[in-house]
């Protein structure tokens, strides 16, 4: 274990086996010398050396949410436990020809406030009937109205793969995702930085797919280097909440030009079929929350949005 005295969080030991330490005082920290991240091939499935995650570098709205999640999971057991491969695979569901829909169970958000008092299972069943290929379930409680039960209910009631949508800052959150029956977890490069590779390996160890989310070129390069198989490009800048639908086509093209052969997902801000024209023929899937969740008829909204 290593103490750090800026507002870093330090992992020591293996992942699984890492420890989360919020720093208190003000002496030298690993940031000054640059954080050290062991590469997956160095550790044969478990991190043997020390990793520093500096969550204090995450700015804006996202930074506040992440800080809360760090406190929520402080002291949690970091052991990942035994692999528990999901029977329904997100990657396979999205790789089919055409533009797939990941429909999100989203009751509230920082940008919208309350969206709709959804019953998660009823919403997911409606999305499934409306042609969705997968369901995203927010489990963050304070800003999105999510919880574990929402995910459990969805997993138990639909046949589609479910994504745990949360702000993963601790390996326990991956173990929970597997325990709750998710097929995949969201990993945000804006939050995890270079440690994305370790969390990706943790997810894969558990048998989860991972949606590795990026918002700019630098984050895309990190996701590619980490070995992501599913990359999501978020049109929403999560520090300012500004949406720009040009972000996804730009980064998806860049990923393909770099030789990425995996699944590409365009995320956020899609409200009408016309909004999707920029990613049709480019993205494998779109992730849509607010416009579906806030509609009067979720099944029809899903179907109408994806209509050609
Ligand atoms: O949605 C927000 O306001 C938000 C704020 C801060 C962090 C994350 C946030 N949303 C996560 C997402 O990106 C979306 O839930 C997802 O991509 C769907 O977006 P949308 O269709 O625009 O609801």
């Amino acid at each position: 274990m290593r103490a750090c005295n800026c507002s870093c969080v330090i992992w020591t030991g293996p992942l699984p086996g890492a420890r989360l330490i919020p720093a208190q005082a003000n002496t030298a920290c690993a940031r000054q010398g640059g954080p050290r991240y062991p590469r997956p091939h160095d550790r044969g499935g478990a991190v043997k050396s020390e990793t520093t995650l500096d969550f204090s570098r995450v700015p804006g709205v996202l930074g506040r949410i992440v800080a809360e999640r760090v406190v929520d999971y402080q002291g949690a057991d970091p052991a990942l436990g035994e692999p528990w491969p999901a029977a329904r695979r997100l990657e396979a569901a999205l790789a089919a020809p055409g533009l797939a829909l990941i429909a999100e169970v989203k009751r509230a958000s920082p940008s919208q406030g309350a969206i709709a008092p959804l019953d998660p299972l009823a919403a997911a069943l409606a999305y499934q009937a409306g042609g969705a290929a997968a369901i995203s379930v927010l489990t963050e409680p304070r800003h999105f109205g999510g919880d574990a039960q929402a995910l459990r209910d969805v997993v138990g009631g639909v046949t589609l793969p479910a994504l745990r949508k949360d702000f993963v800052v601790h390996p326990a959150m991956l173990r929970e995702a597997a325990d709750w029956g998710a097929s995949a977890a969201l990993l945000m490069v804006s939050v995890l930085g270079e440690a994305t590779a370790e969390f990706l390996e943790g997810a894969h160890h558990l048998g989860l797919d991972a949606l590795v989310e990026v918002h700019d070129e630098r984050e895309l390069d990190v996701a590619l280097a980490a070995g992501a198989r599913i990359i999501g490009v978020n049109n929403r800048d999560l520090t300012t909440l500004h949406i720009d639908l040009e972000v996804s086509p730009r980064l998806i093209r860049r990923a393909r030009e770099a030789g990425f052969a995996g699944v590409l997902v365009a995320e956020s801000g899609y409200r009408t079929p016309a909004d999707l024209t920029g990613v049709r023929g480019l993205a494998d899937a779109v992730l849509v929350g607010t416009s579906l969740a806030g509609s009067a008829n979720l099944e029809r909204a899903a179907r109408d949005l994806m209509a050609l």
Side-chain angles (χ1 to χ4, degrees), residues 7 14 41 47 53 57 82 108 125 143 148 174 202 205-206 213 226 234 244 250 273 276 287 306:
S7 47
H41 64 264
V47 177
L53 278 174
R57 65 178 162 63
E82 294 303 308
L125 286 169
H143 307 275
L174 297 177
H205 163 84
L206 284 165
E213 183 177 291
N234 203 329
D244 176 359
R250 189 181 84 232
L276 298 175
L287 172 55
M306 301 306 290

Side-chain angles (χ1 to χ4, degrees), residues 104 106 109-111 144 165 234 236 238 241 268-269 288-290:
E104 188 156 275
K106 187 174 185 180
S109 74
S111 51
F144 296 87
K165 193 91 176 323
N234 203 329
R236 180 179 283 115
L238 300 184
L241 305 185
S268 299
V288 185
T290 308

Side-chain angles (χ1 to χ4, degrees), residues 136-205:
S136 168
V137 185
L138 279 149
T139 54
E140 194 283 337
R142 296 182 187 85
H143 307 275
F144 296 87
D147 55 32
Q149 197 56 46
L151 180 53
R152 283 198 171 106
D153 288 350
V154 169
V155 169
V158 302
T159 57
L160 301 175
L163 167 74
R164 180 185 186 184
K165 193 91 176 323
D166 208 314
F167 301 82
V168 169
V169 294
H170 192 289
M173 300 176 83
L174 297 177
R175 191 185 59 243
E176 287 177 344
D179 287 350
W180 300 343
S183 297
L186 177 70
L187 300 178
M188 301 169 73
V189 175
S190 55
V191 173
L192 299 171
E194 298 290 335
T196 301
E198 293 176 47
F199 279 81
L200 184 61
E201 187 174 355
H204 290 165
H205 163 84

Side-chain angles (χ1 to χ4, degrees), residues 195-219:
T196 301
E198 293 176 47
F199 279 81
L200 184 61
E201 187 174 355
H204 290 165
H205 163 84
L206 284 165
L208 295 169
D209 288 330
L211 175 62
V212 179
E213 183 177 291
V214 304
H215 179 67
D216 60 27
E217 280 76 2
R218 188 190 55 77
E219 291 179 6

